[in-house]
Amino acid sequence: MSTQRAKKSNPGVSGKRGSARSAYSKDEIREIFRRFSVQRPEPKGELEHTNAFTLLVAVALSAQATDVGVNKATKGLFAVADTPEKMLELGEEGLISYIKTIGLYRNKAKNVIAMSHKLIDEFGGEVPKTREELVSLPGVGRKTANVVMSMAFGKATIAVDTHIFRIANRTGLAPGKTPDQVEASLEKIIPPDYLFHAHHWLILHGRYVCKARKPDCPACVIADICKAAEKTSEMPAPLVPVE
């Protein structure tokens, strides 16, 4: 599907600078997230971790890698290095021996070691709870910070990964040219009572249903509401009942 066609077909996409208006009404948006909540009442992230530090490391390692691949590498790693202090004892080469199956492993190893140093030197070995402090750590961007804030500290954030960015633009739910624009739009339109779990609902929907190559529209619980320009031709599965 070309960019030009998407802009013409999807009422939510705009050529103007900044994020565009959602293609959905407030009632439609609430219904979308209500159905997600019925489908997955307690969605969980798929990166395995044991504490805030191992979560931070796992998310940092997951850039341009699959959660499955990261989990395989970190299973042994976190058994021996689940704190910044233990990570420094392991050292960069020791860390590489565990994560060399992950893409960009050398650069990621440098960042994790530098991150561990900074956590000890500036934060007493504890993972900070604010976005500003988190993004000051080596190898930690806004997306990683948002994931940690949500999963480790229970704060309602939207971490826009490739899945969420794709869904937001493909469906017209929260069109934007950058992840930051999509994040701002989603935080504005998602009903407050659904905001905490919205991050995981959207990621899981993108990973298993609204996939990049061929969206599985027959398995989609919002197929009748979705305003994507193109869909697979099969009939959708039975819908989650509308209240």
Side-chain angles (χ1 to χ4, degrees), residues 46-110:
E46 297 183 329
L47 284 173
E48 296 174 2
H49 61 283
T50 58
N51 55 34
F53 174 70
T54 55
L55 172 63
L56 177 62
V57 172
V59 179
L61 293 176
S62 70
Q64 300 183 46
T66 66
D67 287 0
V68 172
V70 172
N71 288 338
K72 287 181 180 179
T74 58
K75 183 177 181 180
L77 173 63
F78 294 156
V80 299
D82 59 355
T83 67
E85 293 82 3
K86 292 178 182 178
M87 192 66 71
L88 291 183
E89 290 178 7
L90 184 62
E92 188 174 322
E93 290 303 315
L95 173 55
I96 285 175
S97 70
Y98 286 96
I99 67 169
K100 60 186 177 182
T101 57
I102 300 175
L104 306 174
Y105 66 89
R106 290 194 179 278
N107 188 56
K108 290 177 180 179
K110 290 180 180 179

Side-chain angles (χ1 to χ4, degrees), residues 48 167 218 230 241:
E48 296 174 2
I167 290 173
E230 293 185 6

Side-chain angles (χ1 to χ4, degrees), residues 27-40 158 173 186 189-191 194-195 197-199 201-202 222 225:
D27 287 343
E28 287 174 327
I29 292 170
R30 170 165 284 280
E31 178 60 15
I32 286 170
F33 286 96
R34 187 197 71 80
R35 293 187 189 183
F36 285 155
S37 73
V38 172
Q39 183 184 41
R40 294 186 175 96
I158 300 292
L173 180 63
L186 287 171
I189 67 171
I190 296 172
Y194 290 127
L195 186 58
H197 286 313
H199 160 73
W201 285 327
L202 290 171
I222 61 168
I225 301 175

Side-chain angles (χ1 to χ4, degrees), residues 12 21 43 58 79 82 98 123 188 207 220:
R21 176 179 56 85
D82 59 355
Y98 286 96
F123 299 102
K188 184 183 298 184
R207 183 172 292 163
C220 179

Side-chain angles (χ1 to χ4, degrees), residues 142-155:
R142 187 178 181 90
K143 186 196 80 172
T144 297
N146 282 347
V147 173
V148 173
M149 290 169 64
S150 173
M151 294 180 64
F153 305 124
K155 297 182 180 180

Side-chain angles (χ1 to χ4, degrees), residues 13-30:
V13 177
S14 169
K16 296 181 180 179
R17 184 177 181 180
S19 56
R21 176 179 56 85
S22 175
Y24 302 79
S25 68
K26 288 183 178 180
D27 287 343
E28 287 174 327
I29 292 170
R30 170 165 284 280

Side-chain angles (χ1 to χ4, degrees), residues 164-230:
I164 293 182
F165 188 77
R166 179 178 69 253
I167 290 173
N169 281 287
R170 172 188 276 168
T171 66
L173 180 63
K177 295 181 179 179
T178 68
D180 285 355
Q181 289 176 1
V182 170
E183 177 187 337
S185 295
L186 287 171
E187 288 182 341
K188 184 183 298 184
I189 67 171
I190 296 172
D193 49 328
Y194 290 127
L195 186 58
F196 180 71
H197 286 313
H199 160 73
H200 283 126
W201 285 327
L202 290 171
I203 286 178
L204 294 172
H205 189 65
R207 183 172 292 163
Y208 298 113
V209 181
C210 198
K211 295 174 283 190
R213 292 184 180 274
K214 184 181 180 182
D216 189 4
C217 296
C220 179
V221 297
I222 61 168
D224 61 322
I225 301 175
C226 178
K227 298 181 182 181
E230 293 185 6

